[in-house]
Amino acid sequence: MLLARLAETSADVAATSARSRKVELLAAALHDAAPEEVETTVAFLSGELRQRRTGVGWATLRDLPLPAERATLTVAEVDTAFRDIAQVSGPGAVSTRRVLLEKLFGAATAPEQAFLSGLARGELRQGALESLVVDALARAAGLPAPDVRRAVMLRGSPGPVAAAVLESGADAAAAVRAFHLEVGRPVQPMLAQSAPTVAEALGRVGRAAVEWKLDGIRVQIHRDGSDVGVFTRTLDDVTDRLPEIVDAVRALPLRSAVLDGEAIALHPDGRPRPFQVTGSRVGSRIDLERARRETPLTLYVFDALHLDGADLLSLPAAVRHQALASVAPSGLLVPRLVTDDDEIAAAFLDEALGRGHEGVLVKAVDARYDAGRRGAAWVKVKPVHTLDLVVLAAEWGSGRRRGWLSNLHLGARDPSTGGFVMLGKTFKGLTDEMLRWQTERLLALAIDRSDWVVTVRPELVVEVAFDGVQTSSRYPGGMALRFARVVRHRPDKSAEQADTVDDVRALHRR
């Protein structure tokens, strides 16, 4: 299959708002893929590269060669090219990667270049998320969507399911039923919706288990005898980096298990260290013994998907937790209580926050483990921080945001200098109407512009929500916002009324 086919599908999907039409377009593309192309096609249509990390950043994608006049690139050739780029390392890696990237983009037409840029940057804004692709696979195979979703959840990825189902022809139903929970193979984790208060969360789920929401790394642990595997929320295998987690699970009185939990770095008094500390420890592969001594991780578990030969996915949450508590010591369990009382739940939330944690998760006691889904049975409640920040520059969007200024460079006012300190970037939270308005406004404020970025007079204020402030060497203030998203533009505020870098430093210290 030519890459042009997927680029065209992506553009068509981006141009329609109807979910049913998106699914129809994606199903047609999946149906046309050759067997050996199915997994790559699923990844590309989901807006992802199979390699996930390629070393290609925003700067690398500037000043690309002129597009080709004729479409010749195949899906397989593109996958191979990105595989080769991802494997580049050592001295001269940047220049070698650049040569390979120019070769790939030089063989692509203009629409294909736009599609490839979106894939490489992880910003293919076409509305074709994995859930849509999974529904499209169900349509292409003529199968019930819930059956396909469950198979994808159990396999951990839609690609292998698509390959098995589309190659099986008339036996597609049997192929999808063949997927089951396997100890050692991670499944997609169950996810939570959000609510502003515990009262609203309890109103949605009724009597519930209320658990502390820890600001650590989500881990899924598989044990088969003495073999233990530890996987992240994105299903990356981090077993070798977390020996203390492996030891904690090996100490449990069981033969086999699949557990859901959190790994977190704590201060000696039990309060959590900044998320960045935990994240850096999990990401480090260097001198693990020293890392373990200096930044030990503590394991907390809150769910069991399998215990000693028995799959628990379909059992009520209360039954799963009872089974978990029978094999795990209390110190290993995430603190929780079961209630339907708003005041009791609110007091439990206050206790979690007082101990430095993010908030709470409110979980229906009768819900099964609906892996890979952000269902209504789990609801997270945590305070949201907001700041009024000033736009310093904006980057041109791609895909369906092409022609609009999208990624905003955000700065806090510095009273000591009269200038602004950059704290990060975000393109999240922006509706089409907001994009149109801010593009017009920012172009009127432009003091320098290129094909990539527009620098503006620091006058436009935006209200930004975020989850926290972390240490960062990337920005001159030494701080960056976590998960920043735009709430609204504040043209009613002047830059002099924006929050200061001192305000941000105070949040960072807390």
Side-chain angles (χ1 to χ4, degrees), residues 6-18 21-22 25-26 124-128 132 398-402 432:
L6 298 190
E8 180 183 1
T9 298
S10 176
D12 290 343
V13 168
T16 181
S17 59
R21 178 57 179 161
K22 290 179 187 286
L25 291 165
L26 295 168
L124 195 65
R125 301 288 158 186
Q126 60 184 17
L132 277 174
S398 62
R400 68 180 303 274
R401 291 191 175 190
R402 180 174 294 277
D432 288 356

Side-chain angles (χ1 to χ4, degrees), residues 397-480:
S398 62
R400 68 180 303 274
R401 291 191 175 190
R402 180 174 294 277
W404 288 339
L405 288 172
S406 176
N407 204 23
L408 301 178
H409 298 203
L410 303 169
R413 184 166 54 87
D414 187 348
S416 65
T417 66
F420 297 88
V421 178
M422 188 171 172
L423 297 170
K425 308 176 184 180
T426 189
F427 53 77
K428 296 181 179 178
L430 294 164
T431 65
D432 288 356
E433 182 179 352
M434 294 170 74
L435 285 165
R436 283 191 290 268
W437 185 90
Q438 78 178 22
T439 299
E440 181 178 348
R441 177 62 179 146
L442 292 174
L443 287 177
L445 296 173
I447 56 176
D448 186 43
R449 56 188 296 181
S450 68
D451 292 340
W452 193 259
V453 65
V454 175
T455 304
V456 300
R457 296 196 305 275
E459 296 180 14
L460 177 60
V461 177
V462 292
E463 183 180 346
V464 177
F466 57 98
D467 287 2
V469 183
Q470 63 187 24
T471 301
S472 173
S473 59
R474 184 175 183 180
Y475 301 112
M479 302 174 293

Side-chain angles (χ1 to χ4, degrees), residues 18-365:
R19 181 183 176 90
S20 60
R21 178 57 179 161
K22 290 179 187 286
V23 169
E24 180 182 343
L25 291 165
L26 295 168
L30 288 174
H31 190 272
D32 291 346
E36 64 275 11
E37 298 172 330
V38 168
E39 291 197 40
T40 304
T41 298
V42 166
F44 285 6
L45 289 177
S46 299
E48 299 175 351
L49 294 172
R50 291 211 299 167
Q51 294 74 23
R52 295 179 63 184
R53 295 180 180 87
T54 61
V56 176
W58 292 78
T60 318
L61 294 169
R62 297 177 182 173
D63 304 321
L64 291 169
L66 293 173
E69 295 184 358
R70 188 168 61 90
T72 60
L73 276 175
T74 67
V75 170
E77 287 172 339
V78 173
D79 186 48
T80 299
F82 277 114
R83 181 201 65 194
D84 294 343
I85 291 169
Q87 290 175 346
V88 173
S89 62
V94 173
S95 58
T96 301
R97 197 177 289 124
R98 178 76 188 183
V99 169
L100 293 174
L101 200 67
E102 287 182 347
K103 180 180 178 182
L104 172 62
F105 275 76
T109 63
E112 290 171 330
Q113 283 192 352
F115 182 70
L116 290 174
S117 294
L119 284 176
R121 292 199 305 268
E123 194 184 337
L124 195 65
R125 301 288 158 186
Q126 60 184 17
L129 300 175
E130 183 179 291
S131 61
L132 277 174
V133 175
V134 170
D135 286 351
L137 171 60
R139 174 175 290 197
L143 294 171
D147 292 354
V148 177
R149 284 196 291 266
R150 182 170 176 78
V152 170
M153 170 269 290
L154 292 170
R155 184 57 176 81
S157 171
V161 176
V165 168
L166 294 179
E167 290 175 17
S168 61
D171 294 328
V176 81
R177 286 196 301 271
F179 289 93
H180 58 276
L181 178 67
E182 300 176 45
V183 177
R185 184 187 296 281
V187 303
Q188 294 178 350
M190 186 168 177
L191 304 174
Q193 296 182 0
S194 298
T197 66
V198 287
E200 181 174 326
L202 286 172
R204 295 185 197 176
V205 303
R207 186 170 178 80
V210 185
E211 299 176 350
W212 286 3
K213 188 179 189 307
L214 308 180
D215 194 17
I217 296 290
R218 182 90 173 261
V219 287
Q220 186 179 122
I221 307 121
H222 290 240
R223 176 178 170 183
D224 185 4
S226 62
D227 294 332
V228 175
V230 185
F231 305 89
T232 66
R233 175 178 174 145
T234 53
L235 311 189
D236 293 319
D237 189 338
V238 292
T239 308
D240 294 341
R241 305 179 216 168
L242 308 180
E244 62 267 57
I245 304 302
V246 172
D247 290 347
V249 175
R250 279 185 179 151
L252 296 177
L254 44 78
R255 299 183 307 278
S256 65
V258 178
L259 307 176
D260 200 352
E262 200 92 5
I264 186 169
L266 301 173
H267 288 292
D269 64 358
R271 294 177 66 84
R273 299 179 69 178
F275 173 81
Q276 191 176 15
V277 174
T278 298
S280 296
R281 168 60 210 283
V282 173
S284 176
R285 295 180 172 86
I286 301 172
D287 199 351
L288 291 177
E289 284 305 314
R290 178 181 177 184
R292 182 176 181 175
R293 289 194 307 271
E294 296 181 352
T295 315
L297 295 177
T298 298
L299 173 66
Y300 288 95
V301 291
F302 51 76
D303 216 325
L305 287 62
H306 174 97
L307 285 176
D308 281 338
D311 288 348
L312 310 179
L313 287 164
S314 298
L315 297 180
V319 176
R320 297 198 309 273
H321 192 272
Q322 184 178 18
L324 176 63
S326 70
V327 296
S330 59
L332 201 65
L333 299 174
V334 173
R336 74 196 292 263
L337 60 80
V338 176
T339 185
D340 56 4
D341 187 293
D342 295 352
E343 292 186 3
I344 292 175
F348 193 68
L349 168 62
D350 289 342
E351 181 184 359
L353 295 174
R355 292 176 180 264
H357 298 292
E358 278 195 309
V360 294
L361 280 159
V362 178
K363 300 179 177 180
V365 293

Side-chain angles (χ1 to χ4, degrees), residues 388 390 413 461 490-500 503:
D388 289 330
V390 178
R413 184 166 54 87
V461 177
R490 294 300 306 267
D492 57 314
K493 281 197 170 187
S494 67
E496 290 74 23
Q497 295 173 309
D499 287 301
T500 70
D503 297 326

